[in-house]
Amino acid sequence: MAISETSLKDVLLFTFDEINKAGGVLGKQLQLIIVDDEGKGDKGVAAIEKLATVDKVDVLIGGIASGVALAQVPTMKKYQIVTVATGAAASTTVEKALGPSPDSDWYFHLHPWDYNQGQSYADGWDAIQKKYPAIKINRIFLAYEEGAFGKSSFDASKAIFGTRYQFDGASFKSALQGGSDYSAVLEAAKEFKPDLFLWAGYAQDALPLLEQSKAMKFSPPVYLGAPPAWPADMSKSPLAENVMLYGMWAQSINDISAASKKFYDAYVKAVGTAPTSYFAALSYSAVYIVADGIKRAGGTDKAKLIAALEATKYASPLGETITFSPSNIIKHQGIRNQKILQWQNGRQEVIWPFEVQSKPIVYPFPAW
Amino acid sequence: MRRPLSFLIPLLALAAAALLPLVSGPYPLAVARSVLTYMALAISWDMLLRSGQISFGIAGFFGLGAYAAALSVLRGGMSPILSILFAGVFAGAVALILGLVILRLRAVYFSITTLALAEIFRVIIQNWSDFTGGPEGLVLPKLIFNGESKSLYWLVLAAVVIACAASTMFEKSRIRLALSAIRNNEQSAAASGIGIFKYLLVAFVVSSFIQGIVGGIQLQGYGFASPDAVFDSNYTLLPLAMALLGGIHGTPGPVIGALLLGIAAEFLKLHIPYGHLVVYGIIIVLVILFMPQGLYGLLRSRRHAVAPVAENRVDAGAWGK
């Protein structure tokens, strides 16, 4: 097996260790081979070539960046190794490049596509407004980092929210790309007077954006962030209080899910800190889904393994049971929903879906 | 003895490189493709450096080439091979136009301008969404040669051969003398009747042409271009580090540097999976600090230091007779 993101190596290492200590799969120990794609397309392709031809792996697990996945798709198609992908949300490029069934039936996509995410946000905010009549959202402003991630977030959000809400947005240069000044985009947002302010960037943008929002006294009724991960010390920052976020997993899910608690305890024991990204829970889930699939398939025969994975019903630490069903193009799409969360007293609390809600929403976002 | 060897070694190296796909699998070929890509960029960067002008615009012309190739296929219906040539011509033409202005700058002013140009290209392409696909980029319907590993490798190797041929031509022709004269003392060179601007323009256009070609090949080999991917600063920094490691002001240095750093990067990744980039960075810093003339420069200086002693011995023997 293999994973191609070193940022997720810790969780993969302890998950394999956990499974192997429990006796492995079908009496055999699982072997993990890690190759770093360095977040670059050419390195990602070389990694697939190595894993396919030198290591001859049975299953590929991993991936985050859509750009790397896009470069890898032609090579992955060449070998058609059973793949459980934990990232790559860009449907217009990656899903399109994969193509429809049966040519992409070896590919199991766990992470929601961008249109899945957009739809789940729309559903979430509809449900929240219905449950809490005091919350009225008419105007939405999206501040997005100027790269592919931010632009695809803007396009998907505009397509879904633009017809029903007054929607506007502006881009900023992410701190990840050397940016540090968010005043222009915050000024534009302040002038727009949004009921919901959303930013789509990276972990490095989180605290500077909040600092500058505070300096500019910008406190919209809903202040929402959607980075793939948050800074490790975000929970300790007073700036985080009552900021809302999108994500798939939060520590608060431990209160209602034994699977989440098991994952969390194992993670903290192995890594020494709490997970800062839902990709940790997603990767943990990916390994268990594969292990369970191999068990039910009676081995790693490709056709049998694909059939077994198609029948997956995994009670994941994400607070939902993962199954696979067709998406717009591919046959095997796993998770479709993100969750709406909120920082409360240094912890991410689930606000929506209500069936896994851990705390009621704090609204409006308090003035600085 | 030196003259035949100077031909024989590159020919043997080329033959070995050309035959590599017959004896290795897809993984070494994928790594080799990456190494050769950076090698061609390192050689092209060095060609302009011989005039004393340090360009930080490699990623700019590389990215421009990638987009020129993508757009010529997707909007112009051009064949993949033609699109690669078009990428080179387009990058060269842009360099020609811009060179008329920026080659009047010297030293750090020129370097900063080329760095800015690369960023300007990226910003224009990122914001011209209707035409270029914006930040999400462009995806080709299929890869050149249907993505067949050996053919893709030979295609990148062809770019290296073009770069080596152009670089050798620079070394063997009067261009070398002109560029060296400009680098050593521009006023003296001008006083000697050397057309400084003409030679700078030739070096800038040819190096940009090669960078454009390599960008076009990268696009055809991986099937997509996005501003983040093709204008990545690594396409400037790695070739520069490779040339500095191998040795500047000649063809062998960048070739050696690219081979060593490229292979070292992959080797370190496989053997130190959790810290390879740190070790890689330390190696680059140490080599540049303690071997500023590069490995090839070091070898040459040692050879020159040894050669007179050997000659003296022969002379002494002759006198003895």
Side-chain angles (χ1 to χ4, degrees):
Chain A
M1 293 191 186
I3 178 171
S4 53
E5 295 289 342
T6 49
S7 58
L8 301 176
K9 69 177 170 53
D10 289 334
V11 70
L12 268 292
L13 285 168
F14 84 70
T15 312
F16 271 69
D17 196 41
E18 197 173 88
I19 292 172
N20 285 337
K21 276 184 180 162
V25 178
L26 301 172
K28 289 182 183 173
Q29 298 284 288
L30 293 181
Q31 190 191 352
L32 172 69
I33 298 167
I34 295 177
V35 183
D36 182 8
D37 65 25
E38 300 175 37
K40 294 178 178 59
D42 59 341
K43 301 285 183 185
V45 169
I48 300 294
E49 293 282 14
K50 176 183 179 289
L51 294 165
T53 62
V54 179
D55 304 311
K56 297 186 181 357
V57 297
D58 297 306
V59 181
L60 293 165
I61 299 174
I64 291 182
S66 291
V68 178
L70 187 56
Q72 289 173 324
V73 165
T75 311
M76 291 167 99
K77 276 182 157 178
K78 186 165 72 179
Y79 298 110
Q80 305 206 346
I81 295 170
V82 175
T83 299
V84 179
T86 48
S91 60
T92 51
T93 52
V94 180
E95 191 183 19
K96 199 175 160 193
L98 283 163
S101 175
D103 293 342
S104 59
D105 285 358
W106 46 273
Y107 191 85
F108 292 76
H109 189 242
L110 267 188
H111 194 286
W113 295 112
D114 44 17
Y115 55 81
N116 296 139
Q117 299 188 119
Q119 191 56 54
S120 78
Y121 303 150
D123 293 345
W125 286 109
D126 282 349
I128 288 171
Q129 288 181 86
K130 202 172 168 187
K131 183 169 178 177
Y132 303 100
I135 301 174
K136 293 276 180 223
I137 295 170
N138 295 311
R139 299 167 70 81
I140 297 175
F141 189 95
L142 172 56
Y144 58 98
E145 67 87 24
E146 62 185 18
F149 164 59
K151 183 63 168 43
S152 65
S153 299
F154 178 77
D155 291 343
S157 301
K158 192 177 178 185
I160 288 167
F161 291 103
T163 52
R164 300 164 52 201
Y165 298 92
Q166 290 182 59
F167 185 89
D168 200 1
S171 65
F172 62 85
K173 186 165 186 144
S174 169
L176 189 67
Q177 310 291 340
S180 59
D181 183 4
Y182 306 90
S183 56
V185 75
L186 288 173
E187 273 302 345
K190 200 173 173 184
E191 199 165 309
F192 184 73
K193 296 186 175 57
D195 302 309
L196 186 156
F197 170 76
L198 167 64
W199 65 271
Y202 296 102
Q204 291 85 339
D205 300 311
L207 288 169
L209 251 170
L210 284 163
E211 286 282 6
Q212 290 180 34
S213 296
K214 184 181 178 185
M216 293 170 66
K217 295 187 169 42
F218 175 55
S219 53
V222 176
Y223 195 117
L224 177 67
W230 289 85
D233 52 356
M234 190 72 187
S235 60
K236 292 176 192 154
S237 171
L239 293 170
E241 190 60 14
N242 299 144
V243 167
M244 300 195 73
L245 59 145
Y246 292 142
M248 276 189 245
W249 179 86
Q251 190 184 334
S252 52
I253 297 177
N254 291 351
D255 301 347
I256 53 156
S257 162
S260 176
K261 181 80 169 67
K262 180 176 170 250
F263 154 74
Y264 177 81
D265 290 345
Y267 187 99
V268 172
K269 190 180 170 193
V271 183
T273 59
T276 57
S277 161
Y278 62 75
F279 279 100
L282 206 55
S283 302
Y284 181 86
S285 302
V287 179
Y288 269 99
I289 285 171
V290 169
D292 183 50
I294 293 172
K295 208 179 288 176
R296 284 183 287 107
T300 54
D301 175 79
K302 192 170 147 187
K304 286 180 184 169
L305 181 55
I306 288 174
L309 288 173
E310 281 176 343
T312 292
K313 276 184 188 166
Y314 171 63
S316 75
L318 302 163
E320 64 177 286
T321 298
I322 296 174
T323 58
F324 290 100
S325 59
S327 61
N328 282 1
I329 298 178
I330 65 168
K331 190 179 174 186
H332 301 133
Q333 174 58 37
I335 301 159
R336 289 160 193 276
N337 295 318
Q338 287 269 19
K339 296 177 178 66
I340 298 176
L341 315 166
Q342 188 172 39
W343 290 99
Q344 293 183 16
N345 300 314
R347 211 170 84 131
Q348 292 178 9
E349 302 291 350
V350 181
I351 304 300
W352 179 86
F354 297 130
E355 52 268 30
V356 286
Q357 187 184 54
S358 58
K359 284 278 168 67
I361 186 171
V362 174
Y363 178 88
F365 181 68
W368 296 106
Chain B
M1 282 300 287
R2 284 175 65 191
R3 184 163 286 275
L5 267 183
S6 69
F7 280 100
L8 198 59
I9 291 173
L11 278 177
L12 286 173
L14 177 61
L19 294 173
L20 183 68
L22 305 180
V23 293
S24 64
Y27 166 57
L29 286 187
V31 176
R33 264 171 69 196
S34 180
V35 171
L36 291 178
T37 299
Y38 287 113
M39 187 184 287
L41 294 176
I43 295 166
S44 70
W45 176 75
D46 184 75
M47 285 164 68
L48 181 62
L49 184 73
R50 292 168 207 173
S51 69
Q53 295 282 56
I54 302 172
S55 168
F56 291 138
I58 308 173
F61 289 101
F62 173 88
L64 218 51
Y67 267 93
L71 290 165
S72 65
V73 171
L74 295 171
R75 311 258 189 258
M78 212 175 262
S79 74
I81 290 288
L82 263 185
S83 78
I84 292 169
L85 287 176
F86 176 73
V89 171
F90 184 78
V94 171
L96 177 68
I97 294 163
L98 294 173
L100 293 172
V101 180
I102 66 168
L103 285 169
R104 298 182 190 284
L105 302 170
R106 292 291 179 272
V108 71
Y109 301 102
F110 175 79
S111 303
I112 290 171
T113 305
T114 53
L115 187 66
L117 275 181
E119 180 65 5
I120 289 166
F121 295 156
R122 188 188 69 79
V123 169
I124 290 173
I125 284 174
Q126 185 152 291
N127 289 288
W128 196 1
S129 298
D130 294 343
F131 189 59
T132 62
E136 287 148 307
L138 298 167
V139 182
L140 295 184
K142 64 172 191 168
L143 303 186
I144 192 170
F145 309 130
N146 290 319
E148 200 269 316
S149 307
K150 290 176 186 172
S151 305
L152 286 176
Y153 169 83
W154 280 319
L155 185 64
V156 188
L157 182 62
V160 173
V161 171
I162 291 171
C164 285
S167 175
T168 308
M169 201 183 76
F170 270 36
E171 284 177 40
K172 305 289 180 192
S173 67
R174 66 173 64 183
I175 297 174
R176 179 179 73 89
L177 298 173
L179 295 180
S180 299
I182 295 167
R183 183 176 80 240
N184 292 331
N185 191 324
E186 191 175 327
Q187 284 178 332
S188 298
S192 307
I194 293 171
I196 290 171
F197 192 76
K198 182 182 80 177
Y199 283 107
L200 285 178
L201 197 58
V202 167
F204 188 50
V205 170
V206 172
S207 63
S208 302
F209 169 82
I210 293 166
Q211 287 153 17
I213 289 266
V214 179
I217 290 173
Q218 183 84 350
L219 177 276
Q220 290 290 352
Y222 293 101
F224 80 102
S226 70
D228 287 348
V230 299
F231 291 103
D232 190 312
S233 58
N234 266 328
Y235 290 117
T236 292
L237 299 176
L238 279 182
L240 205 141
M242 287 166 171
L244 289 172
L245 171 74
I248 53 176
H249 303 153
T251 311
V255 171
I256 293 168
L259 274 175
L260 287 177
L261 268 192
I263 293 168
E266 197 64 21
F267 178 85
L268 289 171
K269 187 165 78 177
L270 297 181
H271 291 86
I272 317 173
Y274 310 131
H276 60 101
L277 290 175
V278 175
V279 179
Y280 184 65
I282 290 171
I283 290 173
I284 293 175
V285 170
L286 289 178
V287 168
I288 291 171
L289 272 178
F290 296 106
M291 284 191 285
Q293 74 276 47
L295 290 170
Y296 186 65
L298 193 71
L299 284 174
R300 285 187 69 179
S301 61
R302 285 198 173 175
R303 198 171 63 184
H304 285 298
V306 170
V309 177
E311 281 166 17
N312 286 344
R313 281 180 187 159
V314 172
D315 289 346
W319 277 109
K321 283 184 179 177

